[in-house]
Amino acid sequence: AGHSAAISVESAVSSFISGFGITAQTMVGQNLGAGKDERIPKIMRTVLWSGIVITVPASLAILFCSEPIFAAFTGDETVLAVASILIAPVILNFFGSATRSVAFSLINGSGNTRLNLAVALIDGSQSSYPQRGVQASMFVPCQLESTMPIGTSSARYSSRA
């Protein structure tokens, strides 16, 4: 429940940031195709600042109002009681989304399919690590065994399962 609530909060903010990145991909591609390479740094700065403008207030909101925000996604009192543990990973993910959006705009907009594929594979294999950290932080101490293989369901390895 805690993991789901944290991911839901993070996804709500990231979806807005991703919208700017997707728009920028098209703008980068159009400007590269038109030979207007000098416009691309301005597009990247605009996407970065747009992400920061969304991320800073969202981070402050989660920092000062974490319990009511998490309550929108879960009614579990145990999760709400430890919502403060989830603040740091969620805020890090907010800023990660803002910076990733800029990089993906440039990579995807450039039309370099090999680079795009390589980055997608690396990102897909690495992006779940912060989520595992959020998930592990929700367990009662000693509930998660240190021998849990990466990529397996944590429920199988908890003492409650």
Side-chain angles (χ1 to χ4, degrees), residues 17-32 39-48 50 100-110:
I17 295 170
S18 294
F20 287 104
I22 292 167
T23 303
Q25 290 174 23
T26 304
M27 294 174 69
V28 166
Q30 288 174 344
N31 283 291
L32 283 174
R39 295 180 181 174
I40 294 171
K42 182 179 179 184
I43 295 168
M44 297 295 97
R45 281 191 303 272
T46 302
V47 171
L48 178 62
S50 299
R100 285 177 55 205
S101 182
V102 175
F104 286 160
S105 299
L106 184 60
I107 292 167
N108 295 340
S110 71

Side-chain angles (χ1 to χ4, degrees), residues 6-18:
I7 297 303
S8 295
V9 169
E10 193 273 330
S11 295
V13 173
S14 295
S15 63
F16 288 106
I17 295 170
S18 294

Side-chain angles (χ1 to χ4, degrees), residues 40-119:
I40 294 171
K42 182 179 179 184
I43 295 168
M44 297 295 97
R45 281 191 303 272
T46 302
V47 171
L48 178 62
W49 283 110
S50 299
I52 290 172
V53 164
I54 293 168
T55 297
V56 169
S59 297
L60 292 172
I62 198 77
L63 188 63
F64 294 112
C65 305
S66 62
E67 286 189 35
I69 292 171
F70 280 97
F73 298 99
T74 182
D76 187 347
E77 292 298 323
T78 307
V79 173
L80 297 177
V82 294
S84 62
I85 294 172
L86 298 170
I87 292 172
V90 169
I91 289 175
L92 285 174
N93 280 338
F94 287 168
F95 282 95
S97 293
T99 56
R100 285 177 55 205
S101 182
V102 175
F104 286 160
S105 299
L106 184 60
I107 292 167
N108 295 340
S110 71
N112 186 334
T113 55
R114 289 183 182 174
L115 178 61
N116 189 352
L117 176 62
V119 170

